[in-house]
Amino acid sequence: MIVSEKPTNFIRSKIADQIKQGQIQEIITRFPPEPNGYLHVGHAKSICLNFGLAEEFGGRCNLRFDDTNPEKESQEYIDAIEADVRWLGFEWAELCHTADYFDQLFDWALHLIRNGDAYVDEQSAEEMRANRGTLTEPGIDSPYRDRSPEENEALFLKMRDGELPEGAAILRAKISMSAPNVNLRDPALYRIRHISHPRAGDRWCIYPTYDYAHGQSDAIEGITHSLCTLEFEDHRPLYEWLLKKLPVPSRPKQTEFSRLELEGTVTSKRKLNALVQEGHVSGWDDPRMPTIAGMRRRGYSPEGIRLFCERIGVTRKPNTIELQILEGSIRDDLEGRAHKAMAVLDPLKVIVTNWDQAPLELDVPWHPKRPELGSRTMVFGRELYIDRSDFELEPPEGFFRLVPGGSVRLKYGFIVDFEDVIIDADGRVSEVHVRYDPETRSGQDQSGRKVKGTIHWVHAESANEVDVRMYDRLFTVPDPGNYDDPGSVINPESLVHGKAMVEPALGQLMPDAYFQFERVGFFKQDPESRDGQMIYNRSVTLKDAWAKKK
RNA sequence: UGGGGUGUGGCCAAGUGGUUAAGGCAGCGGGUUUUGAUCCCGCCAUUCGUAGGUUCGAAUCCUACCACCCCAGCCA
């Protein structure tokens, strides 16, 4: 619900400038995930950038599955990625697959071979590694480097026709084995993999590498701005070399930006996958996961995530974003979006001793500032629950909730005055007796009384008991990404199961609604909820100046 | 010790030779409040990795140095 002016960044300024100069008419971007895992918050940054730029400048953005490596890819991931991008609020101009360009890519490989720009190498992977040299020493030419174009073509055809086993040969670009940039030391273009492809099926047994496929795919789609993260910067000379050598229909430009580093989270698909496989989380959509699916299930809104992406900016600097920026963005969005209701997580029984009448039904708006969200019915009566933390026998300085001899307002109900407290055998407060002041009913209070505190409550008899899942950071360290095995630093309290007594309306399924439990936090019904068996996931707590003060 | 990058307040981030170095987040102080939330107001970098230099004038230009990140997959 936050409307703000979009912050600028170097890519945005560059595009604005290019359009102003008349260098380009329309921009075309693409979001190119590999379908080998679920999308995470780092991808959200890229999605917002690519789709956001296209939207802003009246251009287009494609969703392209960069499916060049069938070993790790699957339809499950493809489906999840499409759903996640849509859920974030973006629609692609075209749905593309690198696999759909395999024929063209193959023809262009032949083009390189015939021009003497690529050759089939039959060294083993180990030999190739050994001959690549090191960061400080040049590599050694392959003994197969100077084959004739005819011989290379014949061999490449054999590769394609399945006549060679995996690892027996690869196609390499013929650039230079002594290039200081190791990505230019005759990089691999095609490898043999006798496995079927999620999209291309069994049509191929050779597959292009990322380096060979990406730029040409961009060119086929007419991408004007190919945005990627900084680790691909060293690949740009290769990206450009290929575009220059090939008769491509357009000349896209690659621009890099730094990837998102989020405090307390890992954003490596390999490590996220390990968390799932090793059972540290319930799945890719576990609400503790920094995946889009996880954040969705936790109750983060798409708008909140987009606000976050806006706030963090886009630069080339290494950065580590504080978790508070994410949580603050979610709170800021949910504040205006959530249905606000009452839930008591740690119930303490309250008897209103002078309430002898039938329960009173109260019509209470879902949101004090947004009447369009409507209202629901709450019930006030003789037996209530308040949160145990809202009563103190011996209150600390500055405590202004219910105390012996004190008064407090039960929000949307009445002001109540302390009367008595019942202590059980263990010395624990088991019940508090109060008297309500009939003159102080919310909305029609004529009494002129003022109390310092207003607390939330539920009517005992009509309340529903629900499950509550309270989430906290998944790891005990701020930099789990720096650990080889993040599973070893899992926070044992990252998920705490609890119960809550909630007002009647919260016992109903409202799967699309975002909720605020007043004075507690934002919550979302878990998709596993059933009527009579509600489960609420805590998305994020409210800010709590009192807790901080203590 | 090769190549490519990056250094502006606690965390982000504008700024590209000329007003007192934007803004957001966090923090602090105050006001409003039937959520100790929200909302509102105010405060929060004599200084831009360091050291020199050019200039009337530098975060912005030059030189040197320092720190950190990425690259040696038939991953992307």
Side-chain angles (χ1 to χ4, degrees):
Chain A
M1 302 306 290
I2 296 292
V3 181
S4 60
E5 205 170 296
K6 277 196 176 176
T8 193
N9 62 59
F10 75 102
I11 299 176
R12 190 169 177 250
S13 320
K14 191 168 96 181
I15 294 174
D17 201 51
Q18 289 172 320
I19 290 176
K20 199 171 156 194
Q21 307 284 311
Q23 292 164 13
I24 50 170
Q25 268 60 253
E26 185 190 27
I27 69 161
I28 307 178
T29 57
R30 99 272 91 114
F31 171 60
E34 182 189 12
N36 67 342
Y38 279 62
L39 262 24
H40 55 64
V41 63
H43 294 109
K45 175 180 180 180
S46 175
I47 291 168
C48 289
L49 216 213
N50 280 292
F51 283 92
L53 249 17
E55 211 165 80
E56 181 181 353
F57 291 102
R60 292 179 282 149
C61 181
N62 294 341
L63 170 60
R64 178 164 81 231
F65 289 104
D66 210 352
D67 50 357
T68 58
N69 183 1
E71 273 176 292
K72 303 177 184 171
E73 298 160 7
S74 76
Q75 191 61 40
E76 177 199 352
Y77 297 133
I78 292 176
D79 296 340
I81 288 168
E82 288 184 37
D84 288 347
V85 172
R86 282 212 173 90
W87 177 78
L88 264 184
F90 297 104
E91 192 53 58
W92 44 88
E94 284 177 63
L95 182 60
C96 308
H97 301 257
T98 301
D100 292 347
Y101 310 139
F102 281 174
D103 284 302
Q104 175 67 78
L105 259 11
F106 178 82
D107 286 347
W108 279 336
L110 252 20
H111 182 99
L112 290 175
I113 289 170
R114 289 167 186 159
N115 285 337
D117 289 320
Y119 62 98
V120 174
D121 195 344
E122 290 174 88
Q123 292 182 106
S124 67
E126 296 70 43
E127 288 171 315
M128 273 189 59
R129 190 183 331 115
N131 291 339
R132 187 156 27 234
T134 69
L135 294 178
T136 53
E137 298 160 315
I140 297 164
D141 284 1
S142 164
Y144 306 100
R145 197 172 194 266
D146 291 315
R147 291 214 244 238
S148 69
E150 293 70 28
E151 191 184 356
N152 279 316
E153 180 166 342
L155 276 165
F156 188 48
L157 260 19
K158 281 181 72 176
M159 284 171 63
R160 179 199 61 182
D161 295 337
E163 292 170 34
L164 265 27
E166 289 186 12
I170 63 163
L171 184 71
R172 301 178 76 176
K174 191 169 175 179
I175 304 179
S176 165
M177 287 309 290
S178 56
N181 178 347
V182 293
N183 292 120
L184 263 20
R185 315 242 260 232
D186 291 8
L189 265 26
Y190 266 92
R191 70 287 220 189
I192 301 170
R193 288 290 177 274
H194 289 283
I195 57 178
S196 66
H197 186 283
R199 183 167 178 89
D202 294 317
R203 196 159 130 60
W204 298 90
C205 64
I206 56 172
Y207 294 97
T209 59
Y210 162 86
D211 279 321
Y212 178 64
H214 204 89
Q216 281 64 260
S217 300
D218 284 341
I220 290 168
E221 292 173 26
I223 301 301
T224 54
H225 300 263
S226 181
L227 311 181
C228 63
T229 45
L230 243 26
E231 64 269 28
F232 292 102
E233 190 163 25
D234 291 340
H235 295 242
R236 192 172 65 218
L238 175 54
Y239 181 100
E240 284 169 355
W241 185 89
L242 286 162
L243 291 178
K244 194 169 152 221
K245 294 287 184 183
L246 264 9
V248 291
S250 77
R251 287 295 283 274
K253 282 271 182 281
Q254 173 177 309
T255 302
E256 312 84 14
F257 61 93
S258 45
R259 54 185 300 152
L260 167 65
E261 209 62 62
L262 222 205
E263 184 186 88
T265 72
V266 300
T267 45
S268 131
K269 280 195 223 170
R270 206 198 97 240
K271 287 176 180 171
L272 289 173
N273 189 238
L275 292 172
V276 174
Q277 296 310 322
E278 292 162 18
H280 292 110
V281 295
S282 63
W284 285 98
D285 69 342
D286 186 297
R288 293 166 294 180
M289 292 282 272
T291 51
I292 308 249
M295 295 190 288
R296 171 170 61 229
R297 186 168 175 183
R298 180 153 173 170
Y300 289 8
S301 57
E303 295 85 353
I305 294 170
R306 282 193 256 134
L307 177 61
F308 167 71
C309 291
E310 232 167 71
R311 284 184 177 174
I312 60 176
V314 179
T315 66
R316 295 168 62 87
K317 282 193 295 192
N319 63 80
T320 303
I321 307 294
E322 293 176 332
L323 209 55
Q324 289 172 322
I325 298 187
L326 210 210
E327 296 190 337
S329 303
I330 299 303
R331 282 192 192 101
D332 286 352
D333 180 71
L334 258 25
E335 166 56 31
R337 190 178 303 285
H339 288 63
K340 302 188 173 188
M342 310 276 208
V344 174
L345 300 220
D346 185 8
L348 169 62
K349 182 163 279 187
V350 169
I351 309 292
V352 183
T353 59
N354 61 334
W355 186 276
D356 298 317
Q357 50 197 296
L360 174 66
E361 292 198 342
L362 306 165
D363 183 53
V364 180
W366 277 117
H367 190 119
K369 293 176 185 167
R370 295 194 59 206
E372 69 273 24
L373 287 181
S375 64
R376 83 290 186 181
T377 300
M378 287 189 71
V379 183
F380 190 89
R382 184 179 170 85
E383 290 194 15
L384 312 173
Y385 290 117
I386 65 169
D387 205 281
R388 187 164 286 278
S389 62
D390 286 335
F391 176 76
E392 283 287 352
L393 230 27
E394 291 165 15
E397 187 76 25
F399 185 84
F400 48 78
R401 279 110 95 155
L402 188 59
V403 299
S407 303
V408 74
R409 173 172 288 282
L410 298 178
K411 185 161 182 165
Y412 296 127
F414 301 85
I415 290 178
V416 295
D417 303 302
F418 176 87
E419 186 177 68
D420 198 8
V421 59
I422 310 295
I423 313 275
D424 67 16
D426 301 326
R428 182 177 153 93
V429 174
S430 62
E431 236 172 65
V432 177
H433 290 5
V434 299
R435 295 178 66 79
Y436 86 105
D437 180 347
E439 303 301 305
T440 60
R441 178 170 171 182
S442 280
Q444 44 201 77
D445 187 337
Q446 308 288 325
S447 72
R449 291 186 63 183
K450 291 276 182 235
V451 290
K452 188 75 174 150
T454 298
I455 62 174
H456 58 103
W457 53 277
V458 295
H459 176 57
E461 196 186 334
S462 58
N464 293 286
E465 188 180 58
V466 300
D467 287 319
V468 170
R469 295 177 183 168
M470 278 149 316
Y471 298 101
D472 199 352
R473 47 184 61 202
L474 221 202
F475 303 100
T476 54
V477 298
D479 60 338
N482 289 338
Y483 289 70
D484 292 332
D485 176 21
S488 65
V489 288
I490 294 281
N491 174 8
E493 289 172 10
S494 60
L495 167 56
V496 174
H497 290 274
K499 298 279 187 189
M501 297 304 288
V502 301
E503 61 168 283
L506 291 181
Q508 320 302 309
L509 280 172
M510 289 176 68
D512 296 327
Y514 294 93
F515 293 96
Q516 180 191 103
F517 290 178
E518 298 212 34
R519 303 209 306 132
V520 178
F522 291 100
F523 288 78
K524 185 98 170 69
Q525 293 180 352
D526 189 86
E528 288 175 358
S529 294
R530 298 290 173 266
D531 268 321
Q533 269 189 302
M534 301 301 299
I535 302 166
Y536 281 90
N537 291 325
R538 186 176 69 195
S539 316
V540 62
T541 59
L542 255 36
K543 272 203 276 188
D544 189 349
W546 172 244
K548 199 186 294 174
K549 199 169 168 182
K550 286 189 297 183

